[in-house]
Each structure stands twice: as structure tokens, then as C-alpha cells.
Amino acid sequence: MSKITAAITAVGGYVPDFVLTNKELETMVETNDEWITTRTGIKERRILKEEGKGTSFLAIKAAEDLIQKKGLDPKEIDLVIVCTATPDMKAAATASYTATQIGATNAFAYDLEAACSSFLFGMSTASAYIESGRYKKILLIGADKNSSFINYKDRATCIIFGDGAGAVLFEPNEEGLGLQDELLRSNGEGRDFLQATYGGSSYPINENTFNEGKHYIFQDGKTVFKNAVFNMADVAERIMKRNDLKNDDIQWLAAHQANKRIIDATANRINLEDDKVMMNIQKYGNTTSATLPLLLFDYESQLKKGDTLIFAAFGGGFTWGSIYFKWAYNS
């Protein structure tokens, strides 16, 4: 009997209609298009503007796109995982609501939160469930409405983040395709450098902290950048060495889209040509949990069965990691 591996068999995605350009940001904070583009590679980002619509709206849209393209009966889905740093509500899982709204009535569902590494860690989780043999169809969604905790007077954060969602379907594979190896890491000493402190259980929000804007996200840009450059490149290189992979063996690098300079540093570390590097940061900015599935969504038509992908991510907490993956189908 062939060993069961966990492969991606379908991809979906969604980004809001509203486009926030660098030019428009020039009217909101002291910045300019050249400064943003040079330092981040971002030209525009999508923002979910409709009142009352949160991360679940994005997740549902991405899931529905996948379901329609795949011709999938939602009742066949065993598990829905929503990877997010911006859940709709506290206590009530965004995944549970998402599963119900898409008609996945036979699935159990939960949220997974590891900041910008959430989807990468979710790939590991979904794969383990599939490899166990107990589940056949797992819907993994990365979705974030980052605009919900951004201070649009803070130049350090408002230029970076956008809203969006991507979804993938994991199913069993007996051809040896799908997830091959993973290297996942975390270091809690980094949590002070990228977080939204107030609003959690340690620092409940109150009228004073709300008025002072302490519920917005904070980032120590230099520290985060330095750690992201080193750690993302390091794990990508290590997983390649561990599996005796050369740069010629790799078809694609799918790296977290936080800053083009970080992506370039990772590609340079593993000696990968520019045309093998997936890039959409210029269109969406940093969509946190959604960056990796949105890369697959944008590049799906170029992916071929058997292609080798290296995934890499770095996020607040700190969390980071890399996954060696074999693509399972031709679009």
C-alpha cells in the first residue's frame, strides 16, 4: 500500500474591490510613492470597507471561489481551518461561522493563529490530519482584515498591510506529491516587537487605552526586518540542504509577502532566479495569513504537476518556518 501524503488539489482566492494606492496614502500620512515602493515593493493594497464585514466575509468568498472552481460539494469537507490574526470576534471561532456559511455542515472547524506564519503552520496541521487517514478533504483558509487594527496615521504600519483571503483544499495523494518536509520554529521573546497589545487578556481594552489608540498594531520595523531576513532565509536554506535540493531542483519560491527586500534576501540565500520567485506584494501589500494562498491563487495557472515549491514565512510572536512541497496537478 502506497504511503499517503497530503496534496493541494484546488485553490481559491478573494481580495476586496477597494484599492488603496500609495498616492492616496500620501494624503493621509507623511510619505510618498517612491519611499514606499523603494523600501517595501508595495504599490497598492486592498481594503474591505463595508461596515460589519470582517475576516469571515473574506474567508467565505475565497472558499466559495474554490468550491465553484473545483465543483466540490461542501458537505464532503471534513474540516475547515481558518488561519487568521484578525478573527471576527473573541471566543466564537471565525472558522465555525465560515464552515456553516459555505454549507460545510459535516465539518468541524477551528481557527489557527500564528501571525504571518499562520497559513504555513496550517499547511503542516492539515497535512498531518490527511496523513493520519482519518480525514479526506480539509479546507485550509488564510484570511485577514488587517485594516481593522491599523492606525492610518501611523506611517510605520499603514503603508504595509492590506486585506484578503486565499483557500486551498488538501486531499490524500498516493503518488508522493504534496508536503514533503517542514521546518517550523518560534521564539516568544519576539512578541514585543510586533503585536496589538491592548485588547488581549493581559491588557483588556478600556476607554483610556482606546482613546489613546493602543488597540492598533505596533511594529518595531528594524528589529522585525532583521529577524525576518535572517530567519526566513535560514530555514529555506536548511530545508533544501536537509533534502539535498539544489537551486535547479526548485521551480518556485512562495515566500511571505511582507517586504520585497526580505523576499529577495531569501531568494538570494538559496540562489534562486527572479523568475522562480512568486511575487504579488506590489498588488496586495502584506495580507498576513493570506499571503501564501494568494500567491498560489495568482500563480495557479503556471504551476505544473510535480513542480517543487519552497514555502517560507515569518511572523509576529516570533514565528517562522519553511515547507518543501510537490505540486499535484496541472491547472
Side-chain angles (χ1 to χ4, degrees), residues 114-136:
C116 297
S117 303
S118 296
F119 190 83
L120 188 82
F121 288 13
M123 291 176 68
S124 171
T125 304
S127 295
Y129 277 119
I130 292 292
E131 291 168 5
S132 76
R134 292 197 297 271
Y135 304 99
K136 305 298 183 186

Side-chain angles (χ1 to χ4, degrees), residues 14 83-84 115-116 118-119 141-144 146 162-167 256 280 284 286-296:
Y14 176 79
C83 306
T84 184
C116 297
S118 296
F119 190 83
I141 304 170
D144 270 304
N146 291 309
D163 303 336
H256 173 55
N280 61 13
Y284 308 138
N286 181 354
T287 55
T288 314
S289 308
T291 65
L292 295 182
L294 278 175
L295 283 174
L296 298 179

Side-chain angles (χ1 to χ4, degrees), residues 57-85:
F57 176 81
L58 302 168
I60 290 164
K61 287 288 191 180
E64 289 175 340
D65 180 60
L66 182 152
I67 289 166
Q68 187 274 324
K69 285 163 58 180
K70 180 71 171 174
L72 176 67
D73 181 355
K75 292 183 174 62
E76 295 179 357
I77 299 171
D78 300 310
L79 166 62
V80 176
I81 302 173
V82 172
C83 306
T84 184

Side-chain angles (χ1 to χ4, degrees), residues 143-180:
D144 270 304
K145 184 183 176 182
N146 291 309
S147 60
S148 65
F149 65 5
I150 295 297
N151 179 359
Y152 283 93
K153 296 179 181 179
D154 176 16
R155 185 178 69 169
T157 56
C158 73
I159 66 170
I160 298 170
F161 294 96
D163 303 336
V168 301
L169 183 69
F170 272 91
E171 294 188 273
N173 183 276
E174 295 186 357
E175 300 177 274
L177 303 172
L179 195 146
Q180 307 294 308

Side-chain angles (χ1 to χ4, degrees), residues 92-265:
T94 301
S96 297
Y97 181 73
T98 299
T100 298
Q101 292 302 113
I102 64 174
T105 53
N106 294 318
F108 71 105
Y110 62 85
D111 296 352
L112 190 157
E113 199 280 306
C116 297
S117 303
S118 296
F119 190 83
L120 188 82
F121 288 13
M123 291 176 68
S124 171
T125 304
S127 295
Y129 277 119
I130 292 292
E131 291 168 5
S132 76
R134 292 197 297 271
Y135 304 99
K136 305 298 183 186
K137 295 185 190 312
I138 296 177
L139 183 63
L140 179 68
I141 304 170
D144 270 304
K145 184 183 176 182
N146 291 309
S147 60
S148 65
F149 65 5
I150 295 297
N151 179 359
Y152 283 93
K153 296 179 181 179
D154 176 16
R155 185 178 69 169
T157 56
C158 73
I159 66 170
I160 298 170
F161 294 96
D163 303 336
V168 301
L169 183 69
F170 272 91
E171 294 188 273
N173 183 276
E174 295 186 357
E175 300 177 274
L177 303 172
L179 195 146
Q180 307 294 308
D181 195 12
E182 62 184 42
L183 185 58
L184 309 178
R185 293 288 181 267
S186 62
N187 181 354
E189 292 179 357
R191 79 174 188 169
D192 291 337
F193 303 108
L194 176 56
Q195 33 66 24
T197 305
Y198 283 83
S201 58
S202 294
Y203 301 93
I205 198 74
N206 57 47
E207 185 176 356
N208 290 335
T209 55
F210 180 81
N211 290 336
E212 292 170 12
K214 291 186 176 180
H215 57 295
Y216 292 126
I217 193 168
F218 162 81
Q219 174 172 270
D220 179 337
K222 289 183 179 179
T223 302
V224 173
F225 180 83
K226 180 178 68 175
N227 279 272
V229 166
F230 175 79
N231 287 312
M232 224 165 81
D234 178 62
V235 287
E237 182 181 43
R238 287 170 62 189
I239 204 163
M240 285 180 61
K241 286 183 176 179
R242 190 161 81 182
N243 290 278
D244 197 27
L245 294 169
K246 311 301 181 189
N247 65 313
D248 290 343
D249 300 321
I250 309 301
Q251 277 70 54
W252 297 101
L253 170 66
H256 173 55
Q257 306 285 292
N259 185 301
K260 187 177 184 296
R261 291 183 294 168
I262 300 172
I263 301 165
D264 290 342

